[in-house]
Amino acid sequence: MSFHASTNLRKLQHVDTLMLKDIVNVLEKHNIEYYLIAGTLLGAVRHHGFIPWDDDLDIGIPRDGYEKFLSHREEWLPEKYFAENFQSNPSYKYYITRVYNRTVRVREIRDRNKGTSESFASLDIFPFDGTPNNIIKRKFFIYHVLYLRMMASLANYENIDLARPRKFYEKEIIKLAGFIRTEKVLNCSRYYSKIDRLLKKQDFKKSSFVGSIMGAYREKELFPRAYLGRGQKQIFYNFKANGPENFDLYLKHMYGDYMQLPSDKEIQEKRHFEIID
């Protein structure tokens, strides 16, 4: 692999790594069960740190611990950090919680056609929820959540990533939403509240399939709860953080042959954020 990260990406990865270490310390100090997930876990397993061309970090927390963290975040988080979600900030764009480092400003690069917006270096925390154990009920549950999620996205049209690969019908719905200006008539927070109530009805500890359907991969981010087990520590540069006990099955579920590196031509430096010098 001949990839060489830009100076800005290396700076951001360093800032985010220190943030991850601090957040892990907070969660472990207060006995909050957590797991590195998605690309963050892949980076830890395959690279013992960031995926070299990536710039964001994700943690999953089972619902009870997630709610406990939210209720104590102001007293638990170091002073330079703060956490927001749709409940704490009516104009917040996401369902999940984002922890910010107020000392490091970044540009959030959403789409080439829409420019950038300024924010702070951050880390995403996803609630892990259960799903119905009956396969038919689970399908209806997933479709219900995805419908509400779609409506929330249409209510927050300016935040839709137009560059992301999508199915044909999704692209057509997005085009129509842009034409009729759905953000003028729909309320994003209202749909997030409906999703929140729906997800909280599921018992995580009694569910066979769990995860965060509000993640980027949607229903693919649901997996057998047995994968989590008691957790297993993974090296992330100079410290260790918890991941699923059966990380191999989890990563195969998410990415297939996850140890196979993409070719040099396929590797592109991700551009979610860049530090403002």
Side-chain angles (χ1 to χ4, degrees):
M1 184 180 69
S2 60
F3 174 79
H4 297 287
S6 66
T7 300
N8 199 283
L9 176 58
R10 291 197 301 271
K11 287 181 180 179
L12 183 55
Q13 288 175 341
H14 177 69
V15 168
D16 286 351
T17 298
L18 295 178
M19 178 182 288
L20 177 62
K21 187 175 183 179
D22 287 342
I23 301 305
V24 164
N25 286 340
V26 168
L27 297 175
E28 293 185 349
K29 177 181 178 181
H30 296 285
N31 298 310
I32 302 294
E33 182 182 356
Y34 74 93
Y35 303 90
L36 302 184
I37 58 173
T40 306
L41 178 65
L42 176 57
V45 171
R46 196 171 67 188
H47 305 278
H48 298 314
F50 264 101
I51 296 174
W53 47 91
D54 203 359
D55 71 348
D56 63 347
L57 292 171
D58 299 326
I59 292 176
I61 302 180
R63 175 62 71 170
D64 287 350
Y66 179 82
E67 296 296 331
K68 184 177 180 180
F69 169 77
L70 290 182
S71 65
H72 293 281
R73 63 186 184 273
E74 291 185 4
E75 61 185 282
W76 287 357
L77 288 174
E79 187 176 352
K80 65 181 178 180
Y81 299 132
F82 68 99
E84 283 193 333
N85 58 27
F86 79 97
Q87 293 168 317
S88 64
N89 182 353
S91 62
Y92 188 73
K93 299 178 290 186
Y94 312 103
Y95 171 78
I96 55 98
T97 294
R98 181 165 282 180
V99 178
Y100 294 93
N101 181 341
R102 67 176 88 243
T103 68
V104 182
R105 293 198 64 81
V106 300
R107 293 186 185 91
E108 182 175 359
I109 304 170
R110 294 174 293 170
D111 183 88
R112 290 181 180 178
N113 297 324
K114 298 177 184 176
T116 62
S117 61
E118 292 188 7
S119 182
F120 300 100
S122 61
L123 175 154
D124 290 340
I125 299 181
F126 293 79
F128 273 177
D129 291 296
T131 61
N133 288 328
N134 179 282
I135 189 170
I136 296 177
K137 290 182 178 179
R138 185 161 63 245
K139 287 287 186 182
F140 276 104
F141 171 80
I142 291 172
Y143 290 145
H144 191 182
V145 175
L146 291 180
Y147 166 75
L148 294 173
R149 175 174 168 159
M150 178 189 70
M151 296 303 292
S153 295
L154 296 181
N156 195 16
Y157 179 81
E158 290 301 315
N159 194 50
I160 295 176
D161 184 358
L162 299 181
R164 177 177 293 174
R166 298 179 186 275
K167 296 177 181 178
F168 173 77
Y169 70 87
E170 291 179 309
K171 293 179 180 179
E172 293 305 307
I173 291 174
I174 291 172
K175 287 180 182 178
L176 180 61
F179 177 74
I180 64 178
R181 303 295 297 274
T182 50
E183 75 275 11
K184 299 293 185 181
V185 295
L186 300 176
N187 185 295
C188 182
S189 183
R190 177 170 169 264
Y191 287 107
Y192 281 158
S193 294
K194 288 185 176 183
I195 292 170
D196 199 54
R197 290 193 294 270
L198 191 59
L199 295 178
K200 287 179 179 178
K201 287 181 180 180
Q202 305 304 315
D203 190 329
F204 177 85
K205 294 181 179 179
K206 293 182 180 180
S207 297
S208 299
F209 281 79
V210 301
S212 179
I213 196 171
M214 297 304 288
Y217 296 96
R218 292 177 281 194
E219 65 266 40
K220 191 174 184 180
E221 298 207 29
L222 300 176
F223 53 88
R225 183 168 57 86
Y227 288 1
L228 296 176
R230 295 183 178 179
Q232 180 167 319
K233 293 291 187 181
Q234 299 290 342
I235 297 172
F236 206 93
Y237 298 119
N238 63 347
F239 65 99
K240 292 184 178 181
N242 205 44
E245 182 175 5
N246 201 327
F247 63 87
D248 180 64
L249 285 180
Y250 171 84
L251 289 173
K252 285 178 178 175
H253 166 76
M254 291 294 293
Y255 304 110
D257 184 6
Y258 62 89
M259 292 301 289
Q260 180 66 42
L261 290 172
S263 68
D264 289 345
K265 290 184 179 180
E266 293 173 320
I267 292 175
Q268 292 185 348
E269 184 171 296
K270 287 196 176 180
R271 300 287 291 173
H272 297 121
F273 306 95
E274 62 180 10
I275 288 180
I276 301 173
D277 292 323

